[in-house]
Amino acid sequence: MNWKFWQKEKNAQPKKKTKSREWFDAIIFAVIAATVIRVFFIEAYTIPTGSMEKSLLIGDFLFVSKVNYGARIPMTPVAFPFAHHTMPVTGTKAYYDGIQWKYRRLPGIQDIKRNDVVVFNFPDGDTVALEAQDRDYYEMVRSYGREAIHNQYTIVSRPVDKRENYIKRCIGIAGDVLSMKDGLVTVNGKAVPMENTGQINYLVELKNSDFNFEVFKDMGFVISDIQGIGGNTFDFLGTPEMMEEVKKLDFVVSVKPRTSPLEADESNIFPQDPNRKWNVDNWGPVQVPKKGWTVKLDSLTMPMYQRAISIYEGNKIEKAGKGWTINGQPADSYTFKMDYFWMMGDNRHNSLDSRYWGFVPEDHVVGKALFIWMSYDTNASFFGKIRWSRIFKGIH
């Protein structure tokens, strides 16, 4: 080697980065670091509806742990950072679904337990009407017909991890047998009354309609929780504990849960089977599928499990005479490949949950809700109001 050339190289100073290059590198590093944290550790989530009141309120901002149940490896790896399924300005897809990875999950520190508050991808969100994304596509089809919906809306399909995020409480884990009668859930033969975070509607009869609302406000009610329905009878939305306090008031005549009659039939209740006369307060029994569990396929079980077998587990099911074929082979039973869960909102009469769309597969689970880091009541004033008492409140 030439000594002069070597000395020149030795004395040469490294080329200094420009300010723009430094900013570019810093931004790239920040995006990568934030994406890794969001995918594998923790993610922020906002409560958009009242389906989880009283435990979670509209305007609560949560941190959701990916570590507790084990982080899910991205199934749609090519996506725009920090956008879920839609670009914020253009409204176009924020991901490329030409590359799809199989469902895999890192080891977690716990399994999903009953009463956990869980964030998951909406199971019925595989098909979406873009102009009506806040509505369940399948319920729209049942109500108006497939042709009418496809003629009126732009219909798209979404991969599992790009379906809408939902948050509910886990009522049943894999293998559980659940039912509900008069609004009371039974799990594996044991009645499970609502805790003080769960609420339903009650019929309250008063001696007269002239009462001081401040009495109920002190018990935790808000104006919208109480609605007159004729005479001295009112509809109260509250927890069992709140209603026990209402019963003690000397001007209250009676307090009764406002639940659907046992014989009432609601066609939109899962599994939308005309042979099952179920409603939002009376349904079951339902057995939640468990990995390795084998179910016999017949006219009773197919309405309950056909979607799980075909859509969630990726099999082709066809009716063949009096029986069924799965992937072209005759089948009189099926063994599930995943665990499933039954999710319900704490605001039982104002929640679209498993009572309407059924089971949540394990590959749809996003994470466990940990605590509220900010809460903002947009209805309190023009500029909104911070709910200071809810900041850093744990979720139970």
Side-chain angles (χ1 to χ4, degrees), residues 39-41 65-73 103-112 362 365-367:
V39 170
F40 295 102
F41 295 96
S65 168
K66 307 294 184 70
V67 177
N68 286 63
Y69 305 140
R72 183 178 60 184
I73 304 299
Y103 164 62
R104 295 180 179 86
R105 190 179 292 276
L106 297 178
I109 60 177
Q110 69 169 99
D111 295 326
I112 296 178
E362 66 174 70
V365 172
V366 174

Side-chain angles (χ1 to χ4, degrees), residues 104-129:
R104 295 180 179 86
R105 190 179 292 276
L106 297 178
I109 60 177
Q110 69 169 99
D111 295 326
I112 296 178
K113 302 191 298 290
R114 298 182 197 94
N115 283 324
D116 280 359
V117 177
V118 182
V119 174
F120 55 91
N121 297 117
F122 180 41
D124 270 5
D126 59 316
T127 307
V128 179

Side-chain angles (χ1 to χ4, degrees), residues 10-129:
K10 181 180 177 181
N11 294 333
Q13 296 295 321
K15 188 176 180 181
K16 188 176 181 180
K17 291 183 180 180
T18 63
K19 286 290 184 182
S20 58
R21 177 60 187 272
E22 288 179 353
W23 274 104
F24 177 80
D25 290 348
I27 291 171
I28 293 298
F29 175 79
V31 168
I32 293 173
T35 300
V36 169
I37 292 171
R38 182 171 177 263
V39 170
F40 295 102
F41 295 96
I42 198 166
E43 183 177 2
Y45 182 80
T46 308
I47 299 297
T49 70
S51 69
M52 285 295 290
E53 294 180 347
K54 299 282 189 181
S55 52
L56 296 173
L57 307 179
I58 297 174
D60 281 350
F61 293 80
L62 318 176
F63 274 134
V64 176
S65 168
K66 307 294 184 70
V67 177
N68 286 63
Y69 305 140
R72 183 178 60 184
I73 304 299
M75 304 163 77
T76 310
V78 182
F80 191 84
F82 312 124
H84 184 42
H85 52 62
T86 305
M87 296 295 289
V89 177
T90 63
T92 55
K93 284 198 311 184
Y95 59 90
Y96 171 65
D97 52 7
I99 300 175
Q100 288 289 296
W101 290 350
K102 291 183 179 180
Y103 164 62
R104 295 180 179 86
R105 190 179 292 276
L106 297 178
I109 60 177
Q110 69 169 99
D111 295 326
I112 296 178
K113 302 191 298 290
R114 298 182 197 94
N115 283 324
D116 280 359
V117 177
V118 182
V119 174
F120 55 91
N121 297 117
F122 180 41
D124 270 5
D126 59 316
T127 307
V128 179

Side-chain angles (χ1 to χ4, degrees), residues 293-367:
W293 176 58
T294 300
V295 61
K296 181 182 177 182
L297 302 182
D298 54 31
S299 59
L300 183 65
T301 59
M302 283 304 288
M304 187 82 68
Y305 301 112
Q306 183 171 356
R307 180 170 175 82
I309 296 170
S310 60
I311 303 299
Y312 304 149
E313 304 214 348
N315 298 287
K316 183 180 181 180
I317 300 179
E318 293 181 310
K319 191 79 172 70
K322 295 183 178 180
W324 302 85
T325 64
I326 297 180
N327 301 324
Q329 300 298 317
D332 59 5
S333 65
Y334 179 79
T335 301
F336 286 94
K337 307 297 189 298
M338 289 191 294
D339 286 334
Y340 291 77
F341 305 92
W342 188 269
M343 307 288 186
M344 290 174 62
D346 286 350
N347 194 355
R348 292 285 171 85
H349 286 164
N350 296 280
S351 173
L352 293 176
D353 49 39
S354 285
R355 291 171 294 177
Y356 295 90
W357 33 257
F359 311 113
V360 175
E362 66 174 70
D363 67 349
H364 284 54
V365 172
V366 174

Side-chain angles (χ1 to χ4, degrees), residues 150-201:
H150 280 249
N151 287 338
Q152 184 176 354
Y153 299 100
T154 305
I155 307 302
V156 299
S157 60
R158 286 175 178 162
V160 170
D161 56 343
K162 296 303 176 184
R163 296 169 191 174
E164 207 66 58
N165 287 327
Y166 269 43
I167 183 167
K168 306 290 179 186
R169 190 176 298 277
C170 179
I171 302 299
I173 60 176
D176 282 347
V177 178
L178 302 98
S179 61
M180 177 181 266
K181 185 176 181 181
D182 293 329
L184 178 62
V185 173
T186 298
V187 180
N188 300 327
K190 181 180 179 181
V192 184
M194 287 186 297
E195 302 280 343
N196 58 11
T197 55
Q199 61 180 1
I200 62 171
N201 294 82

